[in-house]
Amino acid sequence: MKMSSLLPTLPGHYYTDPAVFAAEQEMIFERMWFCVVRGSDVANPGQYRTVTVGRESVLVTRARDGAARAFLNVCRHRGARLCGDEAGAVKRTFRCMYHAWSYDLDGRLVAAPNLVKMPDVDRVEFGLRPLAVREWLGYVWVCLADDPPSFEEDVMGAFVERLGDLAAIDRYRVSDLHVGRRIRYEVRANWKLIVENFMECYHCSTIHPELVHVLPEFAGGYAAQYYVGHGAEFGSDISGFTVDGGPGVTTIETISTDQDRRYYAITVKPQVFVNLVPDHVILHRMFPLAADHTVVECDWLFRPDVIDSGADLGPSVELFDRVNRQDFEACEACQPGMASRSYAGGGVLVPSEHHISAFHGWVRDRLGNETVGGK
């Protein structure tokens, strides 16, 4: 049977309906591994960041033993938000501002008014609610599920599926790189529009002139993610992955010859994008906050000696910052159309976008029968 040139997308209400988004929070974001912070953001014991995962505020910190810890950011007494700031540091304990219940860096309840008069209170049982934590690629990943899925299959497996093996990502030594620049974007669009945009390059020749100049094969409309193991090759007159194609900074010395002058992109569902080039790595973390509101935090990672040398990172950062802004503007242009009657049944995918259909199938499978009908 001949395959159609056009495949259907998800119906429009999948991008606008609060009920769909609520189901995604429960069935996707709160059940899968979620990349929350760079390990260096909580480098020392007591440093913390708070992030939104699904419907929960999550407190991420570093314990005395050097391991990352994550907890639901809720006091076990009367439910007050324990840490109200996005980032900060404590010396020994997290102290609730309401009734002064205090917890150590391992989440154990260590102090409260009149606690000594309540010897039956189990200080572990009434400690902060802990979450599963893994550190990989220099980032802290958490999972809210009581029975987390396999990190090796869901997260590491995404790299194997895209690159062929884990050795390919290991050669970039992402854990050893340092954050040279971080930009936070407020995107007024559904998280799935952002994922779909990152997965395809049919739009590249239209809105990404700088990127196509550096990676001329993108003009053909096929993204690097379309081919397993394939990296888009720099143009013959291109020196580096920079806004004008000029020289970049010092190459990551452990990459292979095949990885030099190549760009690779990996999507780790549900909210991470990784971009690999010879001299730096760009990692996006999405935080979906509403059906039409997504925060994207993007890190540019370089060799520490490059950052310490004071090298100009501007041309390298500017290239993908422009790409990001071009992409997010396009996603925001799509968001209102998702609610149009003309998009009630969805749109279509051309052949170079057909792989996005697998993502749509994955979303439907994760949601199950929770919400499949339109309004």
Side-chain angles (χ1 to χ4, degrees):
M1 182 177 178
K2 186 177 180 180
M3 189 174 186
S4 172
S5 293
L6 302 179
L7 297 180
T9 70
L10 292 171
H13 76 278
Y14 271 78
Y15 304 86
T16 62
D17 189 346
V20 172
F21 184 71
E24 291 170 341
Q25 288 177 306
E26 177 185 357
M27 308 298 287
I28 297 178
F29 310 132
E30 295 174 14
R31 296 193 184 185
M32 299 187 68
W33 288 99
F34 202 97
C35 187
V36 284
V37 303
R38 182 75 177 167
S40 57
D41 294 331
V42 290
N44 303 312
Q47 274 188 285
Y48 71 84
R49 281 194 67 181
T50 60
V51 297
T52 299
V53 180
R55 298 163 295 184
E56 297 282 0
S57 174
V58 171
L59 170 64
V60 186
T61 190
R62 182 79 56 183
R64 298 284 173 199
D65 63 2
R69 297 281 195 275
F71 311 96
L72 296 183
N73 188 22
V74 177
C75 179
R76 295 297 306 280
H77 174 220
R78 297 273 294 281
R81 178 68 55 88
L82 190 62
C83 294
D85 295 330
E86 288 189 359
V90 298
K91 290 185 177 180
R92 295 183 180 83
T93 61
F94 295 100
R95 185 174 184 269
C96 180
M97 50 75 65
Y98 194 5
H99 296 95
W101 279 40
S102 299
Y103 307 86
D104 66 18
L105 302 184
D106 289 314
R108 182 174 177 270
L109 177 65
V110 294
N114 303 317
L115 184 61
V116 295
K117 299 179 181 179
M118 298 177 281
D120 59 319
V121 175
D122 187 314
R123 299 191 182 203
V124 174
E125 180 183 351
F126 284 93
L128 298 177
R129 172 79 178 273
L131 303 175
V133 174
R134 291 287 297 266
E135 281 197 79
W136 191 56
L137 299 182
Y139 284 86
V140 180
W141 307 67
V142 306
C143 184
L144 274 61
D146 293 333
D147 184 17
S150 168
F151 187 87
E152 288 71 19
E153 291 181 10
D154 281 14
V155 178
M156 295 180 175
F159 287 84
V160 174
E161 181 180 352
R162 171 66 187 91
L163 300 175
D165 55 39
L166 284 179
I169 184 63
D170 290 342
R171 285 192 286 270
Y172 288 87
R173 300 178 63 179
V174 184
S175 297
D176 298 330
L177 304 180
H178 287 189
V179 179
R181 191 74 55 83
R182 172 174 292 163
I183 299 178
R184 180 185 174 100
Y185 304 88
E186 297 278 347
V187 187
R188 293 293 171 178
N190 186 271
W191 69 281
K192 295 186 295 299
L193 290 176
I194 299 173
V195 173
E196 294 162 12
N197 173 278
F198 186 71
M199 291 180 71
E200 56 92 358
C201 210
Y202 188 47
H203 67 278
C204 286
S205 62
T206 306
I207 69 171
H208 294 322
E210 300 89 353
L211 184 63
V212 171
H213 173 63
V214 174
L215 305 173
E217 70 182 69
F218 275 9
Y222 287 90
Q225 294 184 76
Y226 187 85
Y227 306 98
V228 176
H230 175 76
E233 188 173 5
F234 291 7
S236 59
D237 60 339
I238 298 300
S239 299
F241 196 75
T242 60
V243 69
D244 59 1
V249 295
T250 305
T251 299
I252 299 168
E253 73 275 20
T254 47
I255 64 169
S256 68
T257 302
D258 291 342
Q259 291 170 320
D260 194 20
R261 295 184 56 79
R262 295 275 179 171
Y263 162 85
Y264 299 86
I266 303 98
T267 300
V268 186
K269 297 187 292 289
Q271 46 85 241
V272 173
F273 308 142
V274 182
N275 308 272
L276 307 172
V277 293
D279 58 356
H280 64 282
V281 171
I282 308 161
L283 190 142
H284 299 68
R285 284 166 289 133
M286 292 195 304
F287 297 90
L289 301 182
D292 60 354
H293 182 197
T294 308
V295 168
V296 182
E297 197 166 86
C298 185
D299 291 341
W300 281 259
L301 308 169
F302 297 86
R303 289 173 44 153
D305 60 310
V306 167
I307 296 175
D308 292 343
S309 73
D312 183 10
L313 308 180
S316 299
V317 172
E318 186 177 353
L319 175 56
F320 227 84
D321 180 43
R322 287 195 192 183
V323 171
N324 284 339
R325 295 180 191 279
Q326 292 157 353
D327 281 338
F328 299 153
E329 182 180 3
C331 292
E332 291 179 337
C334 289
Q335 184 63 37
M338 299 298 101
S340 170
R341 70 189 70 183
S342 69
Y343 209 82
V348 294
L349 302 170
V350 301
S352 63
E353 302 171 306
H354 279 185
H355 56 294
I356 295 176
S357 184
F359 170 65
H360 293 161
W362 175 85
V363 170
R364 290 182 186 272
D365 288 344
R366 296 293 308 189
L367 299 185
N369 295 320
E370 292 296 315
T371 123
V372 293
K375 287 190 172 181

